[in-house]
């Protein structure tokens, strides 16, 4: 069963509207990378679905992006200025106290 099917099954069982905020929070919690908080891991531990690869294969890879990518630059900025970061997106990092986005 995939995530949309799981969320739909939950929505029906709880008799929730399609736009209920609870559904959005489930979607977000599913994608948390923290094994203690992520819904993905809880569902996997309860055999709600099967992953196409061994978890050891997936988790054995480095979480560090190649050094020449935007992701690497964002990561270094967050490491250095973490407490000042308000938001990050694909093409910018917004610092707390910033008046506007500089592109």
């Amino acid at each position: 069963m995939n995530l949309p099917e799981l969320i739909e099954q939950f929505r029906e069982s709880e008799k929730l509207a399609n736009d209920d905020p609870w559904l959005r929070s489930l979607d977000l919690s599913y994608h948390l990378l923290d094994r203690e908080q992520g819904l993905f891991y809880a569902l996997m531990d309860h055999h709600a679905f099967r992953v196409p690869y061994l978890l050891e294969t997936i988790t054995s890879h480095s979480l560090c992006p190649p050094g020449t990518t935007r992701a690497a630059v964002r990561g270094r900025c967050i490491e250095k200025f973490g407490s000042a970061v308000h938001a990050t997106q694909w093409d910018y990092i917004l610092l707390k106290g910033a008046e506007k986005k500089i592109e």
Side-chain angles (χ1 to χ4, degrees):
M1 186 175 293
N2 61 34
L3 181 60
E5 290 171 341
L6 286 169
I7 289 177
E8 179 60 21
Q9 184 180 33
F10 178 80
R11 187 192 70 75
E12 289 174 357
S13 71
E14 295 295 323
K15 298 176 178 46
L16 301 173
N18 284 329
D19 61 349
D20 192 293
W22 197 0
L23 300 176
R24 181 179 291 195
S25 71
L26 284 176
D27 186 35
L28 292 173
S29 68
Y30 177 87
H31 293 92
L32 289 173
L33 297 177
D34 185 331
R35 190 154 188 19
E36 298 298 316
Q37 297 180 4
L39 181 56
F40 166 82
Y41 295 106
L43 291 169
M44 190 176 62
D45 291 346
H46 286 89
H47 307 289
F49 60 86
R50 288 187 350 209
V51 291
Y53 306 98
L54 294 174
L55 189 58
E56 295 78 26
T57 303
I58 297 168
T59 57
S60 68
H61 296 286
S62 172
L63 291 177
C64 297
T68 58
T69 64
R70 293 178 187 193
V73 172
R74 281 192 305 271
R76 286 193 296 274
C77 286
I78 290 170
E79 285 175 356
K80 186 169 184 174
F81 306 110
S83 63
V85 174
H86 179 72
T88 63
Q89 292 295 325
W90 178 254
D91 57 349
Y92 69 88
I93 297 173
L94 184 62
L95 300 176
K96 293 176 185 170
E99 296 281 326
K100 61 180 182 175
K101 185 173 67 170
I102 300 171
E103 298 187 34

